[in-house]
Amino acid sequence: MKKLLVLSGGRHPYQESTPILGEFLRAAGHEVTITEDAAVLAHAADMGRYDALVFNTRRENLPDFGDLALAKAEQDGLQDFIRSGKAFICLHISTCLPKTWPEYHAITGGGWITGTSFHPPYGEFTVNVSAPGHPGVRGVLDFKTVDELYMGLAFAEGNEVFITAEAAEGTHPWGPQRQPKHMPSGTFPLGWTRKYGEGNVFVLLLGHDARSFQTPGFQQLVLNGVDWATRS
């Protein structure tokens, strides 16, 4: 059993995904605290009670949603928590790079950049296990999910990718004006691990909504991520 802090909130359907996340983490025996208040990150004594921090949240300032980017003290607290040897599990668009904190991708090893990254329409695709020996895919075989397949991401050297997906070339509506955008074919990373200081970082780009979170393969990946990232 591990003590997990889940930070939620932001422009995404977290009101439906985060309760499912908490439910299956608790069912696996973990003690789970869920909050949308990032202020806890700035308090080392409070953070010290947790083994892992799970981000299911979009922490950037958006004109149509509000200012949710982490304050400087919260940024520092997050960095100190992971550097000290604690675990960080980062789901879906939680990798988004805030304009106020360009160093964030040094923790996550890359991820979403608003205005640069994109994805085909939400729909079904196959998640492929690309590194069968990786602890992130323990008990997981290739599976189908209904989700968003992210493209155009930042991606750092040293990331150990364990799942990918294939996509065909196409043109799809994108952006606020839903203009046609060419999207390439290829193999796209969907999950990786890395170190940050003494801490383990587990990134999983799946997990858009309730349907995505209900997929058994997705749930097993998250549980594997907690197990791997909190190992001694």
Side-chain angles (χ1 to χ4, degrees):
M1 186 272 289
K2 299 296 182 181
K3 295 183 178 180
L4 312 178
L5 175 64
V6 175
L7 184 65
S8 187
R11 194 180 75 178
H12 244 60
Y14 296 120
Q15 72 281 358
E16 58 182 64
S17 66
T18 296
I20 298 170
L21 175 63
E23 182 179 353
F24 74 74
L25 288 172
R26 292 184 180 110
H30 299 299
E31 181 180 316
V32 182
T33 300
I34 298 174
T35 185
E36 293 190 5
D37 186 0
V40 64
L41 300 175
H43 300 285
D46 293 333
M47 292 300 296
R49 299 199 300 264
Y50 299 105
D51 300 300
L53 175 64
V54 182
F55 261 27
N56 191 43
T57 185
R58 185 172 184 175
R59 292 287 158 170
E60 62 178 338
N61 297 337
L62 298 170
D64 61 343
F65 201 89
D67 294 349
L68 287 178
L70 300 181
K72 181 64 166 60
E74 295 162 358
Q75 296 170 12
D76 292 344
L78 173 60
Q79 290 175 296
D80 291 344
F81 178 80
I82 304 168
R83 283 174 176 157
S84 73
K86 296 299 183 75
F88 184 46
I89 295 91
C90 193
L91 305 178
H92 198 52
I93 206 168
S94 302
T95 61
C96 68
L97 185 67
K99 292 181 179 178
T100 55
W101 192 20
E103 299 82 9
Y104 178 56
H105 276 180
I107 299 174
T108 64
W112 187 266
I113 301 177
T114 299
T116 299
S117 304
F118 52 91
H119 60 78
Y122 173 92
E124 186 178 82
F125 58 88
T126 298
V127 177
N128 299 310
V129 174
S130 58
H134 193 288
V137 294
R138 178 177 51 82
V140 177
L141 301 174
D142 295 356
F143 65 92
K144 291 187 181 298
T145 190
V146 179
D147 212 317
E148 294 172 336
L149 202 172
Y150 281 178
M151 302 175 176
L153 306 173
F155 188 81
E157 292 185 9
N159 292 341
E160 297 187 9
V161 175
F162 54 86
I163 53 170
T164 61
E166 305 287 332
E169 182 178 9
T171 299
H172 306 286
W174 182 252
Q177 305 304 318
R178 311 307 293 166
Q179 294 298 308
K181 180 176 179 60
H182 173 261
M183 300 188 187
S185 62
T187 301
F188 299 90
L190 291 178
W192 61 79
T193 54
R194 61 185 287 110
K195 295 286 292 187
Y196 184 74
E198 296 300 314
N200 291 324
V201 176
F202 183 93
V203 172
L204 181 59
L205 298 179
L206 300 171
H208 175 70
D209 62 2
R211 187 172 181 183
S212 308
F213 271 69
Q214 288 165 343
T215 304
F218 171 84
Q219 294 189 8
Q220 187 60 55
L221 289 170
V222 174
L223 295 174
N224 288 349
V226 171
D227 290 346
W228 172 82
T230 58
R231 65 185 181 180
S232 301

